[in-house]
Structures are given as structure tokens and as C-alpha cells.
Amino acid sequence: MITRMSSLFLRTLRENPADAELPSHKLLVRAGYVRRVAPGGYSWLPLGMRVLRNIERVVREEMDAIGGQEIQFPALLPREPYEATGRWTEYGPNIFRLKDRKGADYLLGPTHEELFALTVKGEYSSYRDFPVILYQVQTKYRDEERPRAGILRTREFVMKDSYSFDLDDDGLERSYQLHRQAYIKLFDRLKLDYVIVSAMSGSMGGSGSEEFLAESEFGEDTFVRCVESGFAANVEAVTTPAPPAEPIEDKPQAQVHHTPNTPTIETLVDFLNGAGLGRTFSAADTLKNVMVKIREPSEKDWTLLGVGVPGDREVDMKRLEAGLYPTEVALLDDADFAANPFLVKGYIGPQALRDNGVRYLVDPRIVTGTVWATGADKVDHHVVDLVCGRDFTPDGTIEAAEVREGDPSPDGVGTLVAARGIEVGHIFQLGRKFTDAFEVDALGPDSKPIRITMGSYGVGVSRLVASIAEQHHDELGLVWPREVAPADVHVVIAGKDESVRDGAEKLAAGLDAAGIEVLLDDRQSSPGVKFADAELVGVPTILVVGRGLANGVVEVKDRASGERTEVAVDDAVGHLVKLIRG
Ligand code: ATP
Ligand code: MG
């Protein structure tokens, strides 16, 4: 097909949009791929549609290759199935809920586990029917708190979601591995630089779970990896190795000290080091107790929870939330402190928590026999030589402390380094949460029911447009990988002469006849404007038809490297076909 720029619905912009920070956001708007309509709502213009469709095509091809079958559900869904699994409530404010004219509750689907499980239950009943993989490429809705970075995080977006249904755990593992391989193939085809990290399974509560993160300094997901062992994980999934317990008997008795004006770890450490206690203290010798309140999804009331971490580390709320999920967590406000006067801000210790029946969870490094300086539950007072397992006994451990570069890798080999990425895919072994809720069974060979086990797998199709743009651009514009580019060749008519125009038209027709997608800049604009637009739009190969034509040559420019090659007009089509088809 030949697309003529003279009639293409496209206006490129010279200026970056005021609200854009990320290169992909700036460029996709400037090059006329997308336009903002609402917070987290974008329309796709013709060039953007092409890239989106290309990504969808690659995703469908790889899903079909593992035996996936495409179906499609409505986005507008009744409340009942989501009520049955508890997600109507659990999803919290992230779900768009609405009512129809009769007052019945509906939602706009954020993900479709319920519908797939119910549909399989409706159609299939024998063990002979399984396994099965179903998928859809569909618009999802989430009332994201912070829509961000153009199409990277929107409230309406395109996702490929697939679901596997198996008779047993081995089957689920096979379906999971099939998806993992399919994702590797598709992200490789999209020329994405990505890492596969082990992940918590978020709102789903499953076991095996991995995320595909496109590497990007602007990514919202921090992950860590170990160069020595290849271990990579979401920060939420990093576990802290516990040191061995220490003997208690040889530890000195705990003493309370008057420590005026020491509400922070820093002031406390300074004070202790100036107090002549016969040893030096560091922040890691102090025990910081952070108070939060928690609430079960079905409850109205909050309860207090104390979280103890070594004083040289902050509490990472994302890790804490992941560790407590689906229980909700919030920091205490002034009213909470006022209602619980035993909590002395800046001087909270495990003693008051125990005496007042507050649950107390600690970092795995806080093991029996370790010695701490911590709050004495009285203004300007701390207790030193408080021994875990002797002077206080936590109710359990929690992964809440921040993970830092240089921390030991959980697999015991080497240390961790941190990096950032954009989540483009997520695979996980969901298990029986949804099939239990709807009693999805198959009748086995012995006529006994077998509870089906599920996997759930997502790809952020529209987010991929931005993720690829993020990794494939330069200061002049976008530089699309071939598989997703809006055209194969961008033909620039660089001259006003009739002969130049005719020559370019002939070449475009020849390319089209050979099955090459051509974007033909046949506008009346100056060559400078056309070149700038070609760089901005980012088709991987640019064919310049200009003055050289009189001498029988045209110029082929590689958008990524900037390399130019002169080619004889008569060889141009053959040359380009070879270049593009490989
Ligand atoms: P995130 O942590 O980025 O919010 P998620 O864990 O909520 O993602 P999933 O529920 O696993 O995401 O959804 C599957 C895929 O859909 C994600 O891997 C991501 O690529 C994409 N996705 C999720 N939320 C959005 C959004 N608001 N805008 C665009 N794509 C999204
Ligand atoms: Mg999300």
C-alpha cells in the first residue's frame, strides 16, 4: 500500500507538549501518533494505529503458535462474578463502577479472570476437554491514581490477557512455560531490551509469577539483580536472608537512658556515641519501630501494627503492602496517635506494643540474641542492650525494609544492584482461586470431579508502543524496529521538478507491487521540512528521490545509523526488497 502524506491525517508538531517528560511521550505526540483526550485517555491517530496493530499482530501470532484461541468479552460487565470472588471490593478505587438505568451495578473490566473461568465452566465438563488456553486483545479500564507518561499508564488501555486451564499442577507448569517462551519470542521480535524478574503475584494471590520489564531509567518498577548469579527480582519479591540466632546468656542487661532531644535515628546515634557507653553505635544498631494501621478488605475498622526494622533502613511501603496483601495498609495520622497515647512519637519501643496488645512484625535480620538500642516509650528516653528473644519477642517477620544495592542476593551468590524497568508483561500461576469460587470442575476418567487450575498472563499492548519508543529513538525522533514500524519505506520527494516527482511515483509503485508498505511524502513542502518529518516519524528506511535522479541514482538512508547509500534507480526496488525482507 502507498500512503500519501499529502492526504494522511497527520500534523507533526515542532514543540514538545507541555505535560510531557519522557522522550516517548514527547515524540509520540510530536510525530502525530497519539493525542490526549483526558487524564489517562488518549486517541490513536493513523500512524499510531498502525504501530498498535502491528504489535497486536505479533502478539496474536505468538499466542496462536502456542495453541491459544482468541475470544472476546465485553468490557462492560455485571457486578455478580466479581462479587463472587471478592474483587468487586478488593480492587478498591482502581475499578470503574457504574449503574445502568435500572440501578443494577456494572463495572468496566480491569482484567477478566472471572469471565474466563465462568465461560470454561459453561462449555467444558470432561477431563478430555483440557488443557485449553484462551485469550483476548481487549480494552481494559482502571481508575489509576496517577495516569502517567502519555500512553504508558492510562485509564483505558489495550491488554492481551490469556488464561490457561489445566487438570493438575504439572499441566499448569507446562502452560506457564509455553507462555514464558511465547513472551520471550514476542518481545525479541519487538526488539525490546527486557529482563524477566520474579514477582509477587499482586492482587491475584498465586505462586509462580514473573514479570517482563523493559529496561528504562523512567520505569516505575525498581528491580534488583545479581551480576554473579543472574538472579533478578522485583523489589517486592526480594527476601532477606536471616543471620543465625545468637546466644542470649552473654548479653548485658538492658538499661534505660535519658537521651534528651533524640527523636530521630541520627540524633540518637550521636547521643549514644557521646554518652561514654564504652562502644560505638551506628544506625544499624538501632531498632526503628514504624507504626501503621491495617484493615482486612471486608472490614471497616483499622487495627494497629508495629513494624520493626534496623535503623539504617527505611520502611518501603510497596514491600510492606505486598507482604500484607490483600490487607490494606496506611500510615498513622495525628488522630491515631492521639487515640493511642501509649505511642510516644520518636520513642516507640516493643515494650509498649506488647503491653497494649499491638501486633509487632520485624525485619528478618532481627533474630534471637541480637542486641538493639530503641525507644523506651517515654519522651527523651531510649533503652540500650535490648535483646531479641529475651526482652522482646516479635509476633513474626515481615519483608518491609528497603532493599539496597550491595545487599546480599537471596540465592546466596554475590550482591544486588538496582535498575528500573517498565512492566510490559506478567505471567503467573494463579492456581484455584477463581475455579474454587465458581466450582470449575472436569469429570475425571473415574467420574470424580477434578478442580481445574488456572494461569493468567498479560501483555500491555498499548503500553508497548511507548516502551518500544522509549528504547528506540534519538534526538531527531522515533526509530522503529521493522516489525512495528508504520511503514517499510518512507519515500521523500526532494524536489519540485516533474521528473523527480514522476521518478518517485514510479519507485513507490514498484515497491508497492513488491508488497512493500510505502509512506510517500508527496507534499508541496520544502525538502528540509520533509527530511525533519521523516526523522521524526521514524520509519526505519528512508528513500530520497532528488537531484541525483538526473544521474540515475537515489539515496537510501538508514534511520537508525544515519548511513546513506547511493543506489542506481533501476536497482532501487530490488535493493529495498532485499533490505526489508532480509
Ligand atoms: P502496573 O504495576 O504497571 O500497574 P499491573 O501489575 O497492574 O501493572 P497487570 O494487572 O499484570 O498489571 O496487567 C498486565 C499488563 O497490562 C501489565 O504488565 C502492563 O503491561 C499492562 N498495564 C497494566 N496497567 C496498565 C495501565 N494503566 N496502562 C497501560 N498498561 C497497563
Ligand atoms: Mg496496576
Side-chain angles (χ1 to χ4, degrees):
M1 196 172 91
I2 301 175
T3 304
R4 293 173 183 278
M5 298 271 280
S6 58
S7 54
L8 179 64
F9 187 63
L10 169 72
R11 282 291 171 272
T12 57
L13 312 173
R14 293 286 155 249
E15 300 294 324
N16 286 318
D19 63 332
E21 279 165 23
L22 270 62
S24 64
H25 185 187
K26 291 177 189 165
L27 290 172
L28 287 168
V29 172
R30 275 186 49 206
Y33 284 70
V34 296
R35 287 287 179 263
R36 184 180 181 278
V37 173
Y42 279 78
S43 50
W44 298 86
L45 301 187
L47 292 179
M49 277 308 286
R50 287 189 181 193
V51 175
L52 185 67
R53 292 285 179 250
N54 285 336
I55 294 172
E56 288 179 3
R57 175 178 45 76
V58 173
V59 169
R60 284 196 170 93
E61 284 170 8
E62 295 305 335
M63 286 310 300
D64 293 345
I66 60 166
Q69 303 179 58
E70 184 169 2
I71 64 175
Q72 175 112 312
F73 284 108
L76 179 65
L77 301 168
R79 169 178 177 161
E80 290 70 29
Y82 286 78
E83 187 68 54
T85 57
R87 291 211 295 178
W88 174 266
T89 321
E90 251 176 52
Y91 241 102
N94 258 13
I95 227 173
F96 279 107
R97 299 174 180 81
L98 61 161
K99 284 188 192 298
D100 72 3
R101 62 171 73 205
K102 294 188 183 122
D105 282 320
Y106 282 81
L107 64 108
L108 295 175
T111 169
H112 280 67
E113 278 74 5
E114 283 80 354
L115 279 295
F116 276 87
L118 277 170
T119 299
V120 167
K121 180 185 168 78
E123 306 300 318
Y124 275 3
S125 55
S126 160
Y127 73 97
R128 290 196 196 84
D129 297 328
F130 293 88
V132 63
I133 295 174
L134 300 173
Y135 76 95
Q136 59 176 351
V137 179
Q138 196 228 19
T139 305
K140 299 274 189 270
Y141 296 84
R142 295 183 185 178
D143 192 353
E144 298 278 358
E145 189 175 13
R146 273 182 288 279
R148 177 178 170 266
I151 53 172
L152 214 47
R153 181 175 296 283
T154 49
R155 302 199 295 169
E156 173 175 316
F157 59 97
V158 181
M159 191 204 290
K160 183 286 296 178
D161 49 330
S162 50
Y163 306 85
S164 64
F165 297 84
D166 280 277
L167 294 167
D168 54 29
D169 294 349
D170 287 348
L172 172 56
E173 178 64 29
R174 271 194 299 277
S175 298
Y176 182 86
Q177 290 304 332
L178 280 175
H179 274 89
R180 196 174 193 275
Q181 290 311 318
Y183 279 27
I184 288 172
K185 280 202 193 138
L186 86 87
F187 292 129
D188 283 349
R189 284 177 68 183
L190 300 178
K191 297 285 181 282
L192 214 59
D193 247 333
Y194 63 91
V195 286
I196 306 175
V197 302
S198 46
M200 304 286 280
S201 33
S203 72
M204 306 292 182
S207 42
S209 168
E210 286 166 297
E211 286 174 0
F212 289 71
L213 304 182
E215 293 196 47
S216 161
E217 57 176 314
F218 299 112
E220 282 183 283
D221 288 82
T222 303
F223 67 98
V224 287
R225 67 171 138 216
C226 173
V227 181
E228 290 89 341
S229 69
F231 167 88
N234 226 335
V235 167
E236 284 94 308
V238 173
T239 52
T240 309
E246 291 176 31
I248 288 175
E249 306 79 49
D250 57 350
K251 301 280 149 54
Q253 281 309 304
Q255 329 100 47
V256 174
H257 291 266
H258 182 222
T259 57
N261 299 319
T262 55
T264 64
I265 296 291
E266 213 186 357
T267 49
L268 172 64
V269 169
D270 284 350
F271 182 92
L272 293 175
N273 283 331
L277 294 174
R279 64 183 215 254
T280 32
F281 290 81
S282 77
D285 299 316
T286 68
L287 173 58
K288 173 156 66 188
N289 298 305
V290 175
M291 295 306 303
V292 294
K293 52 185 174 180
I294 57 174
R295 179 167 72 173
E296 302 306 317
S298 54
E299 309 232 315
K300 236 177 68 237
D301 297 330
W302 296 89
T303 46
L304 291 177
L305 174 72
V307 177
V309 296
D312 62 333
R313 284 175 197 262
E314 299 299 328
V315 165
D316 177 336
M317 283 306 279
K318 263 182 129 172
R319 270 169 57 74
L320 180 61
E321 278 165 17
L324 293 171
Y325 192 85
T327 303
E328 234 184 305
V329 195
L331 292 168
L332 296 197
D333 52 30
D334 290 343
D336 296 315
F337 278 100
N340 297 285
F342 62 91
L343 296 175
V344 185
K345 242 184 178 173
Y347 301 90
I348 298 169
Q351 307 87 324
L353 302 183
R354 181 197 53 208
D355 295 347
N356 291 278
V358 176
R359 204 156 157 248
Y360 183 50
L361 299 177
V362 297
D363 182 83
R365 278 164 282 237
I366 301 167
V367 294
T368 299
T370 49
V371 180
W372 303 94
T374 191
D377 302 304
K378 214 163 110 185
V379 174
D380 289 345
H381 286 77
H382 281 89
V383 51
V384 175
D385 292 330
L386 197 74
V387 174
C388 181
R390 181 189 73 187
D391 304 318
F392 69 100
T393 307
D395 296 308
T397 59
I398 180 98
E399 293 288 351
E402 61 179 320
V403 174
R404 286 202 301 239
E405 290 206 310
D407 282 350
S409 176
D411 59 10
V413 188
T415 54
L416 298 175
V417 291
R420 298 185 81 81
I422 302 165
E423 186 188 322
V424 288
H426 190 184
I427 52 177
F428 61 94
Q429 301 186 17
L430 201 47
R432 296 183 176 81
K433 166 168 174 164
F434 293 88
T435 52
D436 278 345
F438 299 117
E439 300 183 328
V440 185
D441 293 332
L443 229 43
D446 55 2
S447 295
K448 289 211 179 87
I450 304 166
R451 185 58 42 94
I452 295 300
T453 180
M454 261 175 96
S456 145
Y457 318 88
V459 170
V461 175
S462 51
R463 175 179 287 184
L464 271 167
V465 176
S467 307
I468 296 170
E470 207 48 60
Q471 290 185 355
H472 295 273
H473 70 268
D474 58 22
E475 60 288 349
L476 299 173
L478 298 157
V479 188
W480 294 109
R482 272 211 186 285
E483 189 91 62
V484 301
D488 296 317
V489 187
H490 191 138
V491 180
V492 175
I493 306 179
K496 290 226 179 332
D497 291 3
E498 202 63 26
S499 58
V500 170
R501 199 159 267 279
D502 282 353
E505 289 282 354
K506 274 208 196 84
L507 282 170
L511 289 166
D512 179 37
I516 302 286
E517 286 279 345
V518 179
L519 185 60
L520 176 63
D521 197 345
D522 59 344
R523 296 175 298 178
Q524 299 298 335
S525 330
S526 75
V529 166
K530 292 184 178 183
F531 291 139
D533 276 347
E535 308 280 10
L536 182 61
V537 163
V539 172
T541 303
I542 299 167
L543 174 66
V544 182
V545 184
R547 258 186 310 227
L549 195 68
N551 307 319
V553 292
V554 290
E555 191 181 89
V556 174
K557 184 176 172 188
D558 182 71
R559 172 66 186 88
S561 65
E563 204 179 305
R564 298 155 188 270
T565 320
E566 281 208 338
V567 183
V569 183
D570 298 339
D571 301 336
V573 171
H575 175 89
L576 287 168
V577 169
K578 223 165 98 203
L579 188 76
I580 291 158
R581 299 274 172 258

